[in-house]
Amino acid sequence: MNTARLGIHSRLVHGGYHPDATGAVNVPIYQSSTFAFRNAAHGAALFAGEEEGYIYTRIGNPTIRVLEDSVAELEGGVGGVATSSGLGAISTLYMALLEMGAHAVSTASVYGPSRGLIEKHFSRFGIGASFVDTSALDNLRQAIRPETRLVYVETPSNPAMQVTDIAGAAKIAHDHGSLLAVDNTFASPYLQNPLDLGADVVLHSVTKFINGHADVVGGILVATDDEVLQRLRDVMVHMGCSMDPHQAFLVLRGLKTLGIRVEQAQAGAQAIARWLETHPKIQSVRYIGLPSHPQHELARLQMRGFGSMISFEMKGGLEAGRRLMNHVKLATLAVSLGGVETLIEHPASMTHAAMSRKAREAAGFADGLVRYSVGIENADDLIADLEQALEAV
Ligand code: LCS
């Protein structure tokens, strides 16, 4: 059944798979590393490349393929490549699109290791990168060089919550012969479809909203062009960062409820952000659903909702933030985000600790910034939890 014309919740439930010959309502976990070729004993002498089919799970697997097709359909791409982690997707992207001497321009406030991967590792192979605040397109325009091959944007960004104009970034990239890739992890395909706005590749850490249950690490890339998709798959297969069938099964289970989870979590986030903004111990709140957010209008234009990630700064800076994190009870002090449970963390000492303070400040977040990933608990309970923790600060 073609689900393309159905509503988003129907597409989330039915996209990519329909009961097979056994009638199994959910895709079976094809937990097999290798797949038999049909040989003469089975009536046909067909070997690799002579017929369509699965060969080896690192190259492709029926359970993983359903996840790839489902996310590709949701993102409006020609196909997907699932990976063992979000970083696996990002390293596949860099490796596929950059060569010695090439240059990338990236959002400064990306997930720390997405930046470290280029600065620490790809730089050893003669690949350069500039990290700029892409929420102002002029910065991106100025950072482009003749050898720029990739513009890499994370929007909304982690943890500064900056929003980049995807259509504008696509135009700048394309005018300079570069491709645009967007890390859509914070928005999820439920809220934002970068390929529809002109991006060439979209990627996710499916560890976050797409899976949504904090029990799987995984990633996925989706492209608009068959040739780019083949390059991505070829690199993934050679680097060996393939997903596992059981991992894919769990992500598919989470994907079905993406819409209702995001709706519940973002309603909570809106209420919590508004409440935080009025609290005397809070210096500033960055939630893209608040009119005070500098890119609130842009987010309204390119997204279908504002999501459930909030960053805020305490009046007492780092120490006050530490005390807050020590006193929350319902929210869990942990890295990661996008799950059904609310998580709180301190980027400067946790997710973005490898960046220098100078780089963090240039990326738009100070050491006192606290990141709060709203889950699907009752907003009243989360507010009460924050209230008692703030009293202890
Ligand atoms: N992209 C974004 C926007 C992320 O937030 C993360 C992980 C990744 C990519 C990498 O994905 P992974 O390999 O972990 O599946 N972000 C994390 C965070 O903020 N806390 O812990 C992980």
Side-chain angles (χ1 to χ4, degrees):
M1 183 171 66
N2 185 348
T3 54
R5 292 183 167 193
L6 298 178
I8 181 68
H9 295 283
S10 310
R11 287 162 63 206
L12 285 165
V13 174
H14 294 286
Y17 174 75
H18 302 286
D20 66 7
T22 68
V25 168
N26 286 301
V27 61
I29 307 172
Y30 286 92
Q31 197 74 41
S32 187
S33 58
T34 192
F35 294 82
F37 290 134
R38 290 193 293 138
N39 62 10
H42 296 93
L46 287 169
F47 289 90
E50 292 174 15
E51 67 173 342
E52 286 287 313
Y54 293 99
I55 299 168
Y56 188 60
T57 281
R58 175 161 47 74
I59 302 169
N61 172 287
T63 314
I64 300 169
R65 184 57 46 82
V66 173
L67 176 65
E68 291 170 336
D69 290 349
S70 301
V71 179
E73 196 268 325
L74 288 168
E75 288 287 17
V78 293
V81 179
T83 53
S84 53
S85 68
L87 246 303
I90 295 163
S91 43
T92 298
L93 176 86
Y94 293 170
M95 185 86 117
L97 300 185
L98 298 167
E99 69 277 329
M100 193 164 75
H103 172 255
V105 184
S106 168
T107 305
S109 151
V110 282
Y111 173 54
S114 307
R115 180 171 176 156
L117 184 58
I118 283 206
E119 286 185 325
K120 270 168 66 185
H121 300 292
F122 278 75
S123 59
R124 292 187 284 118
F125 304 98
I127 290 167
S130 305
F131 294 89
V132 297
D133 174 0
T134 52
S135 68
L137 287 179
D138 267 349
N139 295 335
L140 170 58
R141 215 172 270 117
Q142 280 160 21
I144 297 249
R145 298 184 195 160
E147 66 273 22
T148 303
R149 296 283 171 275
L150 172 67
V151 174
Y152 180 74
V153 163
E154 192 179 292
T155 179
S157 68
N158 181 1
M161 299 305 300
Q162 289 161 340
V163 179
T164 297
D165 174 351
I166 296 173
K171 179 155 187 349
I172 295 170
H174 295 157
D175 284 352
H176 293 85
S178 166
L179 296 184
L180 173 69
V182 175
D183 184 333
N184 199 25
T185 299
F186 267 40
S188 89
Y190 183 73
L191 297 180
Q192 177 170 271
N193 295 123
L195 302 184
D196 290 349
L197 299 167
D200 304 285
V201 179
V202 59
L203 69 91
H204 292 272
S205 163
V206 303
T207 316
K208 319 299 183 209
F209 291 97
I210 289 185
N211 178 59
H213 292 76
D215 51 10
V216 169
V217 170
I220 198 158
L221 294 145
V222 174
T224 52
D225 179 271
D226 281 316
E227 197 264 329
V228 172
L229 185 71
Q230 283 323 311
R231 266 156 70 194
L232 294 168
R233 180 168 295 283
D234 192 53
V235 167
M236 184 283 286
V237 167
H238 283 83
M239 290 210 300
C241 55
S242 50
M243 194 177 259
D244 173 84
H246 188 248
Q247 217 180 340
F249 170 82
L250 286 171
V251 178
L252 279 161
R253 187 166 68 164
L255 182 64
K256 288 176 198 287
T257 56
L258 174 68
I260 55 172
R261 285 186 284 107
V262 170
E263 290 291 353
Q264 168 76 6
Q266 76 177 351
Q270 187 79 40
I272 294 163
R274 259 194 255 121
W275 178 81
L276 280 170
E277 217 175 23
T278 61
H279 198 284
K281 291 188 178 169
I282 303 293
Q283 178 77 34
S284 61
V285 180
R286 297 185 202 185
Y287 177 61
I288 57 174
L290 291 176
S292 58
H293 189 284
Q295 291 101 37
H296 175 66
E297 280 311 315
L298 171 60
R300 185 188 292 287
L301 283 174
Q302 73 180 13
M303 298 174 71
R304 291 180 287 272
F306 301 115
S308 50
M309 295 301 297
I310 304 174
S311 289
F312 56 92
E313 271 176 54
M314 306 281 300
K315 278 200 176 136
L318 175 61
E319 255 326 294
R322 281 224 176 102
R323 279 204 294 278
L324 173 76
M325 281 179 280
N326 266 326
H327 286 91
V328 288
K329 292 178 183 154
L330 186 57
T332 303
L333 175 58
V335 300
S336 203
L337 57 110
V340 292
E341 58 291 289
T342 295
L343 301 180
I344 190 166
E345 72 116 6
H346 178 232
S349 67
M350 295 164 77
T351 45
H352 295 70
M355 283 167 79
S356 67
R357 174 176 292 159
K358 203 166 149 237
R360 285 195 297 266
E361 276 167 8
F365 62 103
D367 282 358
L369 192 89
V370 172
R371 193 184 74 186
Y372 196 73
S373 168
V374 181
I376 63 169
E377 302 95 331
N378 291 82
D380 290 351
D381 293 334
L382 292 168
I383 289 174
D385 181 42
L386 283 169
E387 191 155 35
Q388 65 80 27
L390 281 165
E391 264 164 34
V393 170

